[in-house]
Coordinates of all heavy atoms in Angstrom, one line a residue:
M1 N -26.7 31.8 9.7 CA -25.4 31.9 10.0 C -24.8 30.5 10.6 O -23.9 30.0 10.2 CB -25.2 33.0 11.2 CG -23.8 33.6 11.3 SD -22.9 34.1 9.7 CE -21.4 34.4 10.4
K2 N -25.7 30.0 11.6 CA -25.2 28.7 12.2 C -25.2 27.6 11.3 O -24.3 26.8 11.1 CB -26.2 28.5 13.4 CG -25.8 27.7 14.5 CD -26.8 27.5 15.6 CE -26.3 26.7 16.6 NZ -27.4 26.5 17.5
K3 N -26.3 27.7 10.3 CA -26.4 26.6 9.3 C -25.0 26.6 8.4 O -24.5 25.6 8.1 CB -27.5 26.9 8.5 CG -28.0 25.6 7.8 CD -29.4 25.9 7.2 CE -29.8 24.8 6.4 NZ -31.1 25.0 5.7
I4 N -24.6 27.8 8.0 CA -23.5 27.9 7.1 C -22.3 27.3 7.8 O -21.4 26.5 7.1 CB -23.1 29.3 6.8 CG1 -24.4 29.8 5.8 CG2 -21.8 29.4 6.0 CD1 -24.3 31.2 5.5
A5 N -22.0 27.6 9.0 CA -21.0 27.0 9.8 C -21.0 25.5 9.8 O -19.9 24.8 9.6 CB -20.9 27.5 11.2
I6 N -22.1 24.9 10.0 CA -22.3 23.4 10.1 C -22.0 22.8 8.6 O -21.2 22.0 8.7 CB -23.7 23.0 10.5 CG1 -24.0 23.4 12.0 CG2 -23.9 21.6 10.3 CD1 -25.4 23.3 12.4
V7 N -22.5 23.5 7.7 CA -22.2 23.0 6.2 C -20.6 23.0 6.0 O -20.0 22.1 5.5 CB -23.0 23.7 5.2 CG1 -22.5 23.4 3.8 CG2 -24.5 23.4 5.3
A8 N -20.0 24.0 6.4 CA -18.6 24.3 6.1 C -17.8 23.1 6.9 O -16.9 22.7 6.4 CB -18.2 25.6 6.6
A9 N -18.2 23.0 8.1 CA -17.4 21.9 9.0 C -17.7 20.6 8.3 O -16.8 19.9 8.2 CB -17.9 22.0 10.4
G10 N -18.8 20.3 7.8 CA -19.1 19.1 7.2 C -18.3 18.9 6.0 O -17.6 17.8 5.9
S11 N -18.1 19.9 5.1 CA -17.3 19.4 4.0 C -16.0 19.4 4.2 O -15.2 18.8 3.6 CB -17.7 20.6 2.8 OG -17.4 21.8 3.4
M12 N -15.5 20.2 5.2 CA -14.1 20.0 5.6 C -13.8 18.6 6.1 O -12.7 18.1 5.7 CB -13.7 21.1 6.7 CG -12.9 22.1 6.3 SD -12.7 23.4 7.6 CE -11.7 22.4 8.7
L13 N -14.6 18.1 6.9 CA -14.5 16.6 7.3 C -14.4 15.8 6.2 O -13.6 14.9 6.1 CB -15.5 16.3 8.3 CG -15.4 16.5 9.8 CD1 -16.7 16.1 10.5 CD2 -14.2 15.8 10.2
F14 N -15.4 16.0 5.3 CA -15.3 15.0 4.1 C -14.0 15.2 3.3 O -13.5 14.1 2.9 CB -16.5 15.5 3.2 CG -16.5 14.6 1.8 CD1 -17.0 13.4 2.0 CD2 -16.1 15.2 0.7 CE1 -17.0 12.6 0.8 CE2 -16.1 14.4 -0.4 CZ -16.6 13.2 -0.4
A15 N -13.5 16.3 3.1 CA -12.3 16.6 2.3 C -11.1 15.7 3.1 O -10.3 15.2 2.4 CB -11.9 18.0 2.2
L16 N -11.1 15.9 4.4 CA -10.1 15.3 5.1 C -10.1 13.7 5.0 O -9.2 13.1 4.7 CB -10.2 15.6 6.6 CG -9.7 17.0 7.0 CD1 -10.0 17.3 8.4 CD2 -8.2 17.2 6.8
S17 N -11.3 13.2 5.2 CA -11.3 11.8 5.1 C -11.1 11.3 3.8 O -10.6 10.2 3.5 CB -12.7 11.3 5.7 OG -13.8 11.8 4.8
S18 N -11.6 11.9 2.6 CA -11.3 11.4 1.3 C -9.9 11.5 1.0 O -9.2 10.5 0.4 CB -12.3 12.0 0.2 OG -12.0 13.3 0.2
A19 N -9.1 12.4 1.5 CA -7.7 12.5 1.2 C -6.9 11.4 2.0 O -6.1 10.7 1.4 CB -7.2 13.8 1.7
A20 N -7.4 11.0 3.2 CA -6.8 9.9 3.9 C -7.0 8.7 3.2 O -6.0 7.9 3.1 CB -7.4 9.7 5.3
V21 N -8.2 8.3 2.6 CA -8.4 7.2 2.0 C -7.5 6.9 0.7 O -7.0 5.9 0.4 CB -9.9 6.9 1.5 CG1 -10.2 5.7 0.5 CG2 -10.8 6.7 2.9
A22 N -7.5 8.1 0.0 CA -6.8 8.1 -1.4 C -5.2 7.9 -1.3 O -4.7 7.3 -2.1 CB -7.2 9.2 -2.2
S23 N -4.7 8.4 -0.2 CA -3.3 8.5 -0.3 C -2.4 7.9 0.8 O -1.3 7.9 0.8 CB -2.9 10.0 -0.3 OG -3.3 10.6 0.8
D24 N -3.2 7.3 1.9 CA -2.3 6.7 2.9 C -1.9 5.5 2.7 O -2.5 4.5 3.1 CB -3.3 6.8 4.2 CG -2.4 6.5 5.5 OD1 -1.2 6.1 5.2 OD2 -2.9 6.6 6.6
G25 N -0.7 5.2 2.0 CA -0.2 4.0 1.7 C 0.0 3.1 2.8 O -0.1 1.9 2.8
E26 N 0.5 3.6 3.9 CA 0.7 2.9 5.2 C -0.5 2.2 5.6 O -0.5 0.9 6.1 CB 1.3 3.7 6.3 CG 1.7 2.9 7.5 CD 2.4 3.6 8.5 OE1 2.5 4.9 8.3 OE2 2.8 3.0 9.5
S27 N -1.6 2.8 5.6 CA -2.9 2.1 6.1 C -3.5 1.0 5.2 O -3.9 0.1 5.5 CB -4.0 3.1 6.5 OG -4.5 3.8 5.4
I28 N -3.2 1.2 3.8 CA -3.6 0.4 2.9 C -2.6 -0.9 3.1 O -3.1 -2.1 3.1 CB -3.4 0.9 1.5 CG1 -4.5 1.9 1.2 CG2 -3.6 -0.3 0.4 CD1 -4.2 2.8 0.0
Y29 N -1.4 -0.7 3.4 CA -0.4 -1.7 3.6 C -0.9 -2.6 4.8 O -0.7 -3.8 4.7 CB 1.0 -1.2 3.8 CG 2.0 -2.1 4.2 CD1 2.7 -2.9 3.3 CD2 2.2 -2.3 5.6 CE1 3.7 -3.8 3.8 CE2 3.2 -3.3 6.0 CZ 3.9 -3.9 5.1 OH 4.8 -4.9 5.6
K30 N -1.3 -1.9 5.7 CA -1.5 -2.6 7.0 C -3.0 -3.1 7.1 O -3.3 -4.2 7.7 CB -1.5 -1.7 8.3 CG 0.0 -1.3 8.5 CD 0.1 -0.5 9.8 CE 1.6 -0.1 10.1 NZ 1.8 1.1 10.9
S31 N -3.9 -2.5 6.5 CA -5.3 -2.9 6.7 C -6.2 -2.8 5.3 O -7.4 -2.7 5.4 CB -6.0 -2.3 7.8 OG -5.9 -0.9 7.6
G32 N -5.6 -2.8 4.2 CA -6.3 -2.8 2.9 C -6.8 -4.2 2.6 O -7.0 -5.0 3.5
T33 N -7.0 -4.5 1.3 CA -7.6 -5.7 0.8 C -6.8 -6.9 1.3 O -5.5 -6.8 1.3 CB -7.6 -5.7 -0.7 OG1 -8.3 -4.7 -1.3 CG2 -8.2 -7.1 -1.2
G34 N -7.5 -7.8 1.9 CA -6.7 -9.0 2.4 C -6.4 -10.1 1.4 O -7.1 -10.0 0.5
P35 N -5.4 -10.8 1.8 CA -4.5 -10.8 2.8 C -3.7 -9.5 2.9 O -3.3 -9.1 1.8 CB -3.7 -12.1 2.7 CG -3.7 -12.4 1.2 CD -5.1 -12.0 0.7
T36 N -3.6 -8.9 3.9 CA -2.9 -7.5 4.0 C -1.4 -7.8 3.6 O -0.8 -8.8 3.8 CB -3.0 -6.9 5.3 OG1 -2.3 -7.8 6.3 CG2 -4.5 -6.6 5.7
C37 N -0.9 -6.7 3.0 CA 0.5 -6.8 2.6 C 1.4 -7.1 4.0 O 2.2 -7.7 3.8 CB 0.9 -5.4 2.1 SG -0.2 -4.7 0.9
A38 N 0.9 -6.3 5.1 CA 1.6 -6.5 6.3 C 1.7 -7.9 6.8 O 2.7 -8.3 7.4 CB 1.0 -5.6 7.3
S39 N 0.7 -8.7 6.4 CA 0.8 -10.1 7.1 C 1.9 -10.8 6.5 O 2.4 -11.8 7.1 CB -0.7 -10.9 6.8 OG -0.7 -11.0 5.4
C40 N 2.4 -10.6 5.3 CA 3.6 -11.2 4.8 C 4.9 -10.3 4.8 O 6.0 -10.8 5.3 CB 3.4 -11.6 3.4 SG 2.2 -13.0 3.1
H41 N 4.7 -9.0 4.4 CA 6.0 -8.2 4.3 C 6.4 -7.6 5.6 O 7.6 -7.1 5.7 CB 5.6 -7.1 3.3 CG 5.5 -7.6 1.9 ND1 6.7 -7.9 1.1 CD2 4.5 -8.2 1.2 CE1 6.3 -8.4 -0.1 NE2 5.0 -8.5 -0.1
D42 N 5.7 -7.7 6.8 CA 6.3 -7.3 8.1 C 7.3 -8.2 8.5 O 8.4 -7.8 9.0 CB 5.2 -7.2 9.1 CG 4.5 -5.9 9.3 OD1 4.9 -5.0 8.4 OD2 3.7 -5.8 10.1
R43 N 7.2 -9.5 8.4 CA 8.1 -10.5 9.0 C 8.7 -11.5 8.0 O 9.4 -12.2 8.3 CB 7.3 -11.4 9.9 CG 7.0 -10.6 11.3 CD 6.2 -11.6 12.3 NE 4.9 -11.8 11.7 CZ 3.9 -11.1 11.7 NH1 3.9 -9.9 12.5 NH2 2.7 -11.5 11.2
G44 N 8.3 -11.2 6.6 CA 9.0 -11.9 5.6 C 8.4 -13.3 5.4 O 8.9 -14.3 5.0
T45 N 7.1 -13.4 5.8 CA 6.3 -14.8 5.6 C 6.4 -15.3 4.2 O 6.3 -14.4 3.3 CB 4.9 -14.4 6.0 OG1 4.9 -13.9 7.3 CG2 4.1 -15.8 6.1
A46 N 6.6 -16.5 4.0 CA 6.7 -17.0 2.8 C 8.0 -16.6 1.9 O 7.8 -16.7 0.6 CB 5.3 -17.0 2.0
G47 N 8.8 -15.9 2.5 CA 10.0 -15.4 1.7 C 9.8 -14.1 1.2 O 10.5 -13.6 0.4
A48 N 8.7 -13.3 1.7 CA 8.4 -12.0 1.2 C 9.7 -11.1 1.5 O 10.1 -11.1 2.7 CB 7.1 -11.6 1.7
P49 N 10.0 -10.1 0.7 CA 10.9 -9.1 1.0 C 10.4 -8.2 2.1 O 9.2 -7.8 2.0 CB 11.3 -8.4 -0.2 CG 10.1 -8.6 -1.1 CD 9.6 -10.1 -0.7
R50 N 11.1 -7.9 3.3 CA 10.5 -7.2 4.4 C 10.6 -5.8 4.3 O 11.6 -5.3 3.6 CB 11.1 -7.7 5.7 CG 10.8 -9.1 6.2 CD 11.8 -9.5 7.2 NE 13.2 -9.8 6.6 CZ 14.2 -10.0 7.4 NH1 14.1 -10.2 8.7 NH2 15.3 -10.2 6.8
I51 N 9.7 -5.0 4.9 CA 9.8 -3.5 4.9 C 11.0 -3.3 6.0 O 11.2 -4.1 6.8 CB 8.5 -2.8 5.2 CG1 7.8 -3.3 6.5 CG2 7.5 -2.9 4.2 CD1 6.9 -2.4 7.2
N52 N 11.5 -2.1 5.9 CA 12.6 -1.8 6.8 C 13.9 -2.5 6.6 O 14.7 -2.5 7.5 CB 12.2 -1.7 8.2 CG 11.0 -0.7 8.5 OD1 11.0 0.4 7.9 ND2 10.0 -1.2 9.1
E53 N 14.0 -3.5 5.6 CA 15.0 -4.3 5.5 C 15.6 -4.2 4.0 O 15.4 -5.1 3.2 CB 14.7 -5.9 5.6 CG 14.3 -6.1 7.0 CD 15.6 -6.3 8.1 OE1 16.7 -6.1 7.7 OE2 15.2 -6.0 9.3
P54 N 16.4 -3.2 3.8 CA 16.8 -2.9 2.3 C 17.5 -4.1 1.8 O 17.3 -4.5 0.5 CB 17.9 -1.8 2.4 CG 17.5 -1.1 3.8 CD 16.8 -2.1 4.6
G55 N 18.2 -5.0 2.6 CA 18.9 -6.1 1.9 C 18.0 -7.2 1.4 O 18.3 -7.8 0.4
D56 N 16.8 -7.2 1.9 CA 15.7 -8.1 1.3 C 15.5 -7.8 -0.2 O 14.9 -8.6 -0.8 CB 14.4 -8.2 2.1 CG 14.5 -8.9 3.5 OD1 15.7 -9.3 3.8 OD2 13.6 -9.2 4.2
W57 N 15.6 -6.5 -0.5 CA 15.2 -6.1 -1.8 C 16.4 -6.1 -2.8 O 16.1 -5.8 -4.0 CB 14.6 -4.7 -1.7 CG 13.4 -4.7 -0.8 CD1 13.3 -4.6 0.5 CD2 12.0 -4.7 -1.3 NE1 12.0 -4.8 1.0 CE2 11.1 -4.8 -0.1 CE3 11.4 -4.7 -2.5 CZ2 9.8 -4.8 -0.3 CZ3 10.1 -4.9 -2.6 CH2 9.3 -4.8 -1.4
D58 N 17.5 -6.6 -2.6 CA 18.6 -6.8 -3.4 C 18.1 -7.5 -4.6 O 17.6 -8.7 -4.5 CB 19.9 -7.5 -2.8 CG 20.5 -6.5 -1.9 OD1 20.3 -5.3 -1.9 OD2 21.5 -7.0 -1.2
G59 N 18.4 -7.0 -5.8 CA 18.1 -7.8 -7.0 C 16.6 -7.6 -7.5 O 16.3 -8.2 -8.5
I60 N 15.8 -6.8 -6.7 CA 14.7 -6.5 -7.1 C 14.7 -5.1 -7.8 O 15.1 -4.2 -7.3 CB 13.5 -6.5 -6.0 CG1 13.4 -7.9 -5.5 CG2 12.1 -6.1 -6.5 CD1 12.6 -8.2 -4.3
D61 N 14.0 -5.0 -8.9 CA 13.9 -3.7 -9.5 C 12.9 -2.8 -8.9 O 11.8 -3.1 -8.7 CB 13.4 -3.9 -11.1 CG 13.2 -2.6 -11.8 OD1 13.5 -1.5 -11.2 OD2 12.8 -2.6 -13.0
L62 N 13.3 -1.7 -8.2 CA 12.6 -0.8 -7.4 C 11.8 0.2 -8.1 O 11.3 1.1 -7.5 CB 13.5 -0.2 -6.3 CG 14.2 -1.2 -5.4 CD1 14.9 -0.4 -4.3 CD2 13.3 -2.1 -4.8
D63 N 11.4 -0.1 -9.3 CA 10.6 0.9 -10.1 C 9.1 0.6 -9.6 O 8.5 -0.6 -9.8 CB 10.7 0.6 -11.6 CG 9.7 1.4 -12.4 OD1 9.8 2.6 -12.3 OD2 8.9 0.8 -12.9
A64 N 8.5 1.6 -9.0 CA 7.2 1.5 -8.4 C 6.2 0.9 -9.5 O 5.4 0.1 -9.0 CB 6.7 2.8 -7.8
D65 N 6.1 1.4 -10.7 CA 5.2 0.9 -11.5 C 5.5 -0.6 -11.9 O 4.4 -1.4 -12.0 CB 5.3 1.6 -13.0 CG 4.6 3.0 -12.8 OD1 3.7 3.1 -12.2 OD2 5.1 3.9 -13.4
A66 N 6.7 -1.1 -12.1 CA 6.9 -2.4 -12.3 C 6.6 -3.4 -11.1 O 6.0 -4.5 -11.2 CB 8.4 -2.6 -12.6
L67 N 6.7 -2.8 -9.9 CA 6.4 -3.5 -8.6 C 4.7 -3.6 -8.5 O 4.3 -4.6 -8.1 CB 7.0 -2.8 -7.4 CG 8.5 -2.8 -7.4 CD1 8.9 -2.0 -6.2 CD2 9.0 -4.3 -7.3
V68 N 4.1 -2.6 -9.0 CA 2.6 -2.6 -8.9 C 2.1 -3.7 -10.0 O 1.4 -4.6 -9.6 CB 1.9 -1.2 -9.3 CG1 0.6 -1.4 -9.7 CG2 2.2 -0.2 -8.3
E69 N 2.9 -3.8 -11.0 CA 2.6 -4.8 -12.1 C 2.6 -6.3 -11.4 O 1.7 -7.1 -11.5 CB 3.4 -4.9 -13.2 CG 3.2 -3.7 -14.3 CD 1.8 -3.7 -14.8 OE1 1.2 -4.9 -15.0 OE2 1.3 -2.6 -14.8
S70 N 3.8 -6.5 -10.7 CA 3.9 -7.8 -10.2 C 3.0 -8.1 -9.0 O 2.5 -9.3 -8.9 CB 5.4 -8.1 -9.9 OG 6.1 -7.0 -9.3
T71 N 2.7 -7.0 -8.4 CA 1.7 -7.2 -7.3 C 0.3 -7.5 -7.8 O -0.4 -8.4 -7.2 CB 1.8 -6.1 -6.3 OG1 3.0 -5.7 -5.9 CG2 0.9 -6.3 -5.0
M72 N -0.2 -6.8 -8.9 CA -1.5 -7.1 -9.3 C -1.5 -8.4 -9.9 O -2.6 -9.2 -9.8 CB -1.7 -6.1 -10.5 CG -1.9 -4.6 -10.1 SD -3.1 -4.4 -8.7 CE -4.6 -4.1 -9.5
S73 N -0.4 -8.9 -10.6 CA -0.5 -10.3 -11.1 C -0.2 -11.5 -10.3 O -0.3 -12.6 -10.5 CB 0.3 -10.2 -12.6 OG 1.6 -10.0 -12.3
G74 N 0.5 -11.0 -9.1 CA 0.9 -12.1 -8.2 C 2.3 -12.5 -8.6 O 2.7 -12.4 -9.8
E75 N 3.0 -13.0 -7.5 CA 4.4 -13.4 -7.9 C 4.8 -14.4 -6.7 O 4.7 -14.1 -5.5 CB 5.4 -12.2 -7.9 CG 6.8 -12.7 -8.1 CD 7.6 -11.5 -8.9 OE1 7.0 -10.8 -9.5 OE2 8.8 -11.5 -8.7
G76 N 5.2 -15.6 -7.2 CA 5.7 -16.6 -6.1 C 4.5 -16.9 -5.3 O 3.4 -17.2 -5.7
A77 N 4.7 -16.8 -3.8 CA 3.7 -17.1 -3.0 C 2.7 -15.9 -2.7 O 1.8 -16.2 -2.1 CB 4.3 -17.5 -1.6
M78 N 2.9 -14.8 -3.4 CA 2.1 -13.7 -3.2 C 0.9 -13.9 -4.2 O 1.0 -14.0 -5.4 CB 2.8 -12.3 -3.6 CG 1.9 -11.2 -3.4 SD 2.8 -9.6 -3.3 CE 3.7 -9.5 -4.8
P79 N -0.4 -13.7 -3.6 CA -1.6 -13.8 -4.4 C -1.7 -12.6 -5.4 O -1.2 -11.5 -5.0 CB -2.7 -13.9 -3.4 CG -2.1 -13.1 -2.2 CD -0.7 -13.5 -2.2
A80 N -2.5 -12.8 -6.6 CA -2.7 -11.6 -7.3 C -3.8 -10.7 -6.7 O -4.8 -11.3 -6.1 CB -3.2 -12.2 -8.7
Y81 N -3.6 -9.5 -6.9 CA -4.5 -8.5 -6.3 C -5.5 -8.0 -7.4 O -6.4 -7.1 -7.3 CB -4.0 -7.4 -5.6 CG -3.4 -7.8 -4.3 CD1 -2.2 -8.5 -4.1 CD2 -4.2 -7.5 -3.2 CE1 -1.8 -9.0 -2.8 CE2 -3.8 -8.1 -1.9 CZ -2.6 -8.8 -1.8 OH -2.3 -9.3 -0.5
E82 N -5.2 -8.3 -8.7 CA -6.0 -8.0 -9.8 C -7.4 -8.2 -9.6 O -7.8 -9.4 -9.3 CB -5.4 -8.6 -11.1 CG -6.0 -8.1 -12.4 CD -5.3 -6.8 -12.9 OE1 -4.0 -6.9 -13.2 OE2 -6.0 -5.8 -13.0
G83 N -8.3 -7.3 -9.9 CA -9.8 -7.4 -9.7 C -10.2 -7.5 -8.2 O -11.4 -7.4 -8.0
R84 N -9.3 -7.4 -7.3 CA -9.7 -7.5 -5.8 C -9.4 -6.1 -5.2 O -9.9 -5.6 -4.3 CB -9.1 -8.6 -5.1 CG -9.5 -9.9 -5.7 CD -9.1 -11.0 -4.8 NE -7.5 -11.1 -4.7 CZ -7.1 -11.1 -3.4 NH1 -7.7 -11.1 -2.3 NH2 -5.6 -11.1 -3.4
A85 N -8.2 -5.4 -5.7 CA -7.8 -4.2 -5.2 C -7.6 -3.2 -6.1 O -7.3 -3.5 -7.4 CB -6.6 -4.4 -4.4
D86 N -7.8 -1.9 -5.7 CA -7.6 -0.9 -6.7 C -6.1 -0.6 -6.9 O -5.3 -0.7 -6.1 CB -8.2 0.4 -6.1 CG -8.4 1.6 -7.0 OD1 -9.6 1.6 -7.6 OD2 -7.6 2.2 -7.2
R87 N -5.8 -0.4 -8.2 CA -4.5 -0.2 -8.7 C -3.8 0.9 -8.0 O -2.6 0.9 -7.6 CB -4.5 0.1 -10.2 CG -3.2 -0.1 -10.8 CD -3.2 0.2 -12.3 NE -1.9 0.0 -12.8 CZ -1.5 -1.3 -13.1 NH1 -2.3 -2.2 -13.0 NH2 -0.2 -1.6 -13.4
D88 N -4.5 2.2 -7.8 CA -4.0 3.2 -7.1 C -3.6 2.9 -5.7 O -2.7 3.5 -5.0 CB -5.1 4.5 -7.2 CG -5.2 5.0 -8.5 OD1 -4.3 4.6 -9.4 OD2 -6.1 5.6 -8.8
D89 N -4.3 2.0 -5.1 CA -4.2 1.7 -3.7 C -3.0 0.8 -3.5 O -2.1 0.9 -2.8 CB -5.4 0.8 -3.1 CG -6.6 1.8 -2.7 OD1 -6.4 3.0 -2.9 OD2 -7.6 1.2 -2.4
I90 N -2.9 -0.1 -4.6 CA -1.6 -0.9 -4.5 C -0.4 -0.1 -4.8 O 0.6 -0.2 -4.0 CB -1.7 -2.0 -5.7 CG1 -2.8 -3.0 -5.3 CG2 -0.4 -2.7 -5.8 CD1 -2.8 -3.8 -4.1
L91 N -0.5 1.0 -5.7 CA 0.7 2.0 -5.9 C 1.1 2.6 -4.6 O 2.2 2.7 -4.1 CB 0.3 2.9 -7.0 CG 1.3 3.9 -7.2 CD1 2.6 3.4 -7.7 CD2 0.8 4.9 -8.4
A92 N 0.0 3.1 -3.9 CA 0.2 3.8 -2.6 C 0.9 2.8 -1.6 O 1.8 3.2 -0.9 CB -1.1 4.3 -2.0
A93 N 0.5 1.6 -1.6 CA 1.1 0.6 -0.6 C 2.5 0.4 -1.1 O 3.4 0.3 -0.1 CB 0.2 -0.6 -0.6
V94 N 2.8 0.3 -2.2 CA 4.1 0.0 -2.9 C 5.0 1.1 -2.4 O 6.2 1.0 -2.0 CB 4.0 -0.3 -4.3 CG1 5.5 -0.2 -4.9 CG2 3.6 -1.7 -4.6
K95 N 4.5 2.4 -2.7 CA 5.3 3.6 -2.4 C 5.6 3.7 -0.9 O 6.8 4.0 -0.6 CB 4.7 4.7 -2.8 CG 4.7 5.1 -4.3 CD 4.1 6.4 -4.7 CE 4.3 6.6 -6.3 NZ 3.4 7.7 -6.7
Y96 N 4.6 3.2 -0.1 CA 5.0 3.1 1.3 C 6.1 2.1 1.6 O 7.1 2.6 2.3 CB 3.7 2.9 2.2 CG 4.1 2.4 3.5 CD1 4.5 3.3 4.5 CD2 3.9 1.1 4.0 CE1 4.9 3.0 5.8 CE2 4.3 0.6 5.2 CZ 4.9 1.6 6.1 OH 5.2 1.2 7.3
M97 N 6.0 1.0 1.2 CA 7.1 0.0 1.2 C 8.3 0.5 0.8 O 9.3 0.4 1.6 CB 6.6 -1.3 0.6 CG 5.4 -1.9 1.1 SD 4.8 -3.3 0.0 CE 5.9 -4.6 0.3
L98 N 8.4 1.2 -0.3 CA 9.7 1.6 -0.8 C 10.2 2.7 0.2 O 11.5 2.8 0.3 CB 9.5 2.2 -2.2 CG 9.3 1.1 -3.4 CD1 9.1 1.8 -4.7 CD2 10.5 0.1 -3.4
S99 N 9.4 3.6 0.7 CA 9.9 4.6 1.6 C 10.6 4.1 2.8 O 11.3 4.7 3.4 CB 8.6 5.5 2.0 OG 7.9 4.9 3.0
T100 N 10.3 2.7 3.1 CA 10.9 2.2 4.4 C 12.2 1.6 4.1 O 12.9 1.3 5.0 CB 9.9 1.2 5.1 OG1 10.1 -0.1 4.1 CG2 8.6 1.5 5.2
I101 N 12.7 1.5 2.8 CA 13.8 0.8 2.6 C 14.8 1.9 1.9 O 16.0 1.5 1.5 CB 13.7 -0.4 1.7 CG1 13.0 -0.1 0.5 CG2 13.0 -1.6 2.4 CD1 13.1 -1.2 -0.6
E102 N 14.5 3.1 1.6 CA 15.3 4.0 1.0 C 16.4 4.5 1.8 O 16.2 4.7 3.1 CB 14.5 5.3 0.5 CG 13.8 5.0 -0.9 CD 12.7 6.0 -1.1 OE1 12.4 6.9 -0.3 OE2 12.1 5.8 -2.2
Ligands
LIG1 C1 0.8 -14.2 1.2 C2 2.0 -13.3 1.4 C3 1.9 -12.1 0.8 C4 1.1 -11.0 0.7 C5 -0.2 -10.9 1.5 C6 1.7 -10.0 0.0 N1 2.9 -10.3 -0.5 FE1 4.0 -9.2 -1.7 N2 5.4 -10.7 -1.9 C7 5.3 -11.9 -1.2 C8 6.2 -12.9 -1.5 C9 6.5 -14.3 -1.1 C10 7.1 -12.1 -2.5 C11 8.3 -12.6 -3.3 C12 7.8 -13.3 -4.5 C13 8.9 -13.9 -5.2 O1 9.9 -13.2 -5.6 O2 8.8 -15.1 -5.5 C14 6.5 -10.8 -2.6 C15 7.0 -9.9 -3.4 C16 6.4 -8.5 -3.4 C17 7.0 -7.4 -4.1 C18 8.3 -7.5 -5.1 C19 7.8 -7.9 -6.4 C20 8.9 -8.2 -7.4 O3 8.8 -7.8 -8.5 O4 9.9 -8.8 -7.0 C21 6.3 -6.4 -3.9 C22 6.4 -4.9 -4.4 C23 5.1 -6.8 -3.1 N3 5.4 -8.1 -2.8 C24 4.2 -5.9 -2.7 C25 2.9 -6.4 -1.9 C26 2.0 -5.5 -1.6 C27 1.8 -4.0 -2.0 C28 0.9 -6.3 -0.9 C29 -0.4 -6.0 -0.4 C30 -1.4 -5.4 -1.4 C31 1.6 -7.6 -0.9 N4 2.9 -7.6 -1.4 C32 1.0 -8.8 -0.2 C33 4.2 -12.3 -0.3 C34 3.1 -11.6 0.0

């Protein structure tokens, strides 16, 4: 009886932690593959469009897939993340960024 309860608690913890890793765009933005998105996009370093500043995104196509493309291949002063970061993680980070300017 006791053993079953422990196994159940263990798998619940596992389910919780893997969901957090897969879908938490904000934590990827802040502490994912470096240099972190936050290091430039919080304050507009190197001319990066800032989060929470819709005006910075004027003239940028806000299609999430297109933005993932440019992030993976790099754009201007932004380094390419291709081969260093998971595409799904970049998508989650981009979606988080978009959610701050909607
Ligand atoms: C070294 C600074 C730097 C880092 C780190 C950085 N960016 Fe950027 N990012 C930029 C700059 C600068 C631009 C503007 C590029 C331009 O238009 O010349 C930009 C543009 C973008 C754009 C708009 C692209 C477009 O099509 O116009 C997106 C989306 C973006 N970054 C997402 C991210 C994400 C997600 C991360 C983290 C995985 C990240 N950036 C990390 C500097 C950075």
Side-chain angles (χ1 to χ4, degrees):
M1 199 54 188
K2 210 172 177 185
K3 199 170 180 186
I4 291 172
I6 292 170
V7 170
S11 56
M12 249 172 74
L13 268 180
F14 176 75
L16 282 175
S17 59
S18 54
V21 169
S23 64
D24 190 354
E26 184 173 0
S27 66
I28 294 165
Y29 172 86
K30 288 182 176 155
S31 51
T33 302
T36 61
C37 319
S39 67
C40 292
H41 288 276
D42 269 5
R43 285 176 299 273
T45 307
R50 288 166 294 178
I51 58 165
N52 300 312
E53 295 288 347
D56 283 11
W57 296 81
D58 280 354
I60 297 177
D61 179 2
L62 298 184
D63 174 64
D65 286 323
L67 295 176
V68 168
E69 284 305 321
S70 38
T71 308
M72 291 309 273
S73 56
E75 181 147 333
M78 178 164 63
Y81 284 84
E82 189 79 65
R84 298 192 298 127
D86 196 89
R87 195 180 186 84
D88 291 342
D89 286 353
I90 299 296
L91 177 61
V94 164
K95 282 185 173 162
Y96 163 71
M97 292 167 78
L98 292 176
S99 75
T100 71
I101 55 162
E102 271 162 3

